[in-house]
Amino acid sequence: MTHDIATLPAGDVFRTYPGIDDFFESIGLPRPAEDITMLEYAAFLDEEVLEDKGLMRSQLIRHFKDFVTGLQKMADPGETAIQSITITAGRDKSGQPEETGFTLQPGDVVSVVGPTGSGKSRLLADIEWMAQGDTQTGRSVLINGESVDTQWRYSSDQRFVAQLSQNMNFIVDLSAKEFIAMHAEARGIKDANVLVRRVIDTANTIAGEPIFAETGVTALSGGQSRALMIADTALVGHSPIVLIDEIENAGIDRRKALDLLVKKLKVVLVATHDPVLALMADRRIVLKNGGIRKVLETTPEEKENLRVLQRLDNAVVSIRNAIRDAKTIQTPFREILRDSCGGVPFEQAIVKQLSSSRNPDPGKRRKGNT
């Protein structure tokens, strides 16, 4: 029970409430050892550390209990943690059966690729709505191998899925810090000041242009809005499944954004036309004519090609940033590429990289060679 939570071993608390990690991260304190209680943890903390966080020991314990209460309120009776999400095969726009379905687990990052009109957004919509064979695709979504309860599915309080669309439009007239604080309080976090700062700081590591706490959310650019919501989803929200529809043109650091969500063990699906983003994923779902055509594992060779593409991408990003800063592009592109390769000529860097990856040990023969 909540009033006893501070006297339980931390290991038991973490196993019962996996989201409790967010509490310690939000206030910038290390996770306690599994064999001590929260009361012991608070007693062991140095006074200077508490003063730096603006907390007294009694406040820390109270905030901890309030956070656990929030987690308990968010959990439906009998709800189990997501161990897997399965999308069963349905049909394409012509009514032909899809080639395959797929199953994802926490920490998986999957790209959804295909030409415009191939059904990428439709697949994300099926997952967001927890389709049960009743959408135009005929797909079904299973959580932990089981159908989703109808009463939960149509509830206005859905918690499984966070959707980040191409166009994010805020309708509330709040500042960035007020918006995050409102979300944090809805999650049971009473003193959200530290968490608000952390979300904005994290968003600024992703965004191409700085976000200020006092800026109104309706005044944020598309890239700023996307960065803020990714940070908010990772650090405040508890939705285990995150759907992202095209972030390549949002002006954010794609790698940092995905790493942040993976660290929180989210299941991430990204619809994209960007080869760099597609190859960053563990797998990619290829769609055609509204149906799933293939599910491909990203191969080691593709990961090596990704490194090459990222160097080219870094060069393009540097040009884009220069244009945004009202600078002229006088430097020859070959030199820009060299800078993206750490001062080594692009061709030399790529040849060295590819040869080392394809022949990791010259003394060993490749499998099948004689």
Side-chain angles (χ1 to χ4, degrees), residues 176-177 180 195-215 220-221 223-232 235 251-254 256-257 260:
K177 71 175 184 181
I180 300 165
L195 180 58
V196 167
R197 289 195 298 270
R198 186 160 181 262
V199 170
I200 293 176
D201 288 345
T202 300
N204 279 324
T205 68
I206 301 172
E209 48 190 328
I211 300 168
F212 300 102
E214 302 297 336
T215 302
L220 297 176
S221 69
Q224 288 174 316
S225 299
R226 194 73 65 90
L228 185 66
M229 289 310 301
I230 288 174
D232 179 90
L235 302 177
I252 66 175
D253 189 315
R254 295 158 293 181
K256 288 182 180 178
L260 176 64

Side-chain angles (χ1 to χ4, degrees), residues 42-352:
F44 293 153
L45 284 175
D46 190 274
E47 198 69 43
E48 291 185 4
V49 173
L50 288 168
E51 185 176 341
D52 181 61
K53 305 299 179 184
L55 291 170
M56 294 186 294
R57 298 182 202 280
S58 59
Q59 286 180 308
L60 179 62
I61 296 296
R62 186 172 68 253
H63 294 332
F64 175 77
K65 290 182 177 181
D66 288 342
F67 191 90
V68 172
T69 299
L71 293 179
Q72 291 174 328
K73 288 180 179 179
M74 283 171 15
D76 289 332
E79 181 179 330
T80 57
I82 287 187
Q83 299 170 349
S84 69
I85 172 173
T86 299
I87 289 79
T88 64
R91 53 184 176 269
D92 65 15
K93 293 178 181 178
S94 302
Q96 297 300 311
E98 289 183 304
E99 296 288 335
T100 183
F102 58 92
T103 297
L104 304 176
Q105 297 174 328
D108 283 348
V109 178
V110 176
S111 59
V112 182
V113 302
T116 300
S118 61
K120 298 186 295 298
S121 296
R122 178 71 260 176
L123 174 60
L124 297 189
D126 279 347
I127 297 172
E128 182 182 13
W129 299 341
M130 293 286 149
Q132 298 296 300
D134 52 0
T135 66
Q136 62 191 47
T137 66
R139 300 183 187 116
S140 291
V141 178
L142 309 178
I143 299 297
N144 300 338
E146 298 181 358
S147 299
V148 178
D149 180 77
T150 302
Q151 183 177 359
W152 177 90
R153 183 187 175 198
Y154 293 107
S155 167
S156 61
D157 194 23
Q158 294 186 22
R159 286 185 277 273
F160 277 169
V161 178
Q163 167 84 354
L164 303 177
S165 62
Q166 296 183 53
N167 301 308
M168 303 208 59
N169 297 312
F170 294 99
I171 59 174
V172 291
D173 187 18
L174 298 173
S175 67
K177 71 175 184 181
E178 289 170 337
F179 175 81
I180 300 165
M182 180 180 68
H183 189 194
E185 289 173 6
R187 294 298 184 188
I189 304 171
K190 295 295 179 66
D191 186 1
N193 291 332
V194 175
L195 180 58
V196 167
R197 289 195 298 270
R198 186 160 181 262
V199 170
I200 293 176
D201 288 345
T202 300
N204 279 324
T205 68
I206 301 172
E209 48 190 328
I211 300 168
F212 300 102
E214 302 297 336
T215 302
V217 291
T218 56
L220 297 176
S221 69
Q224 288 174 316
S225 299
R226 194 73 65 90
L228 185 66
M229 289 310 301
I230 288 174
D232 179 90
T233 297
L235 302 177
V236 183
H238 293 285
S239 299
I241 303 166
V242 180
L243 309 177
I244 306 176
D245 199 354
E246 299 187 19
I247 62 173
E248 55 262 35
N249 298 319
I252 66 175
D253 189 315
R254 295 158 293 181
R255 168 58 73 184
K256 288 182 180 178
L258 292 182
D259 286 346
L260 176 64
L261 294 169
V262 169
K263 180 182 177 183
K264 293 297 182 178
L265 290 180
K266 308 287 187 182
V267 177
V268 183
L269 293 97
V270 187
T272 183
H273 293 283
D274 180 6
V276 173
L277 195 54
L279 293 179
M280 281 182 184
D282 309 307
R283 280 180 278 175
R284 60 184 180 275
I285 301 165
V286 185
L287 287 105
K288 183 178 181 181
N289 192 35
I292 298 173
R293 184 181 179 188
K294 285 186 179 180
V295 178
L296 300 174
E297 298 279 345
T298 304
T299 66
E301 291 78 11
E302 287 178 322
K303 288 297 186 184
E304 290 301 327
N305 287 331
L306 172 62
R307 295 185 184 182
V308 178
L309 289 172
Q310 286 175 317
R311 289 180 171 181
L312 287 168
D313 190 56
N314 289 340
V316 173
V317 168
S318 69
I319 293 174
R320 182 179 65 201
N321 291 339
I323 291 173
R324 286 175 172 175
D325 291 338
K327 298 176 182 177
T328 58
I329 313 300
Q330 304 293 344
T331 306
F333 188 63
R334 183 178 294 274
E335 292 184 24
I336 298 175
L337 280 176
R338 184 180 62 194
D339 291 341
S340 73
C341 296
V344 179
F346 180 76
E347 295 87 346
Q348 180 180 334
I350 298 309
V351 169
K352 181 179 180 181

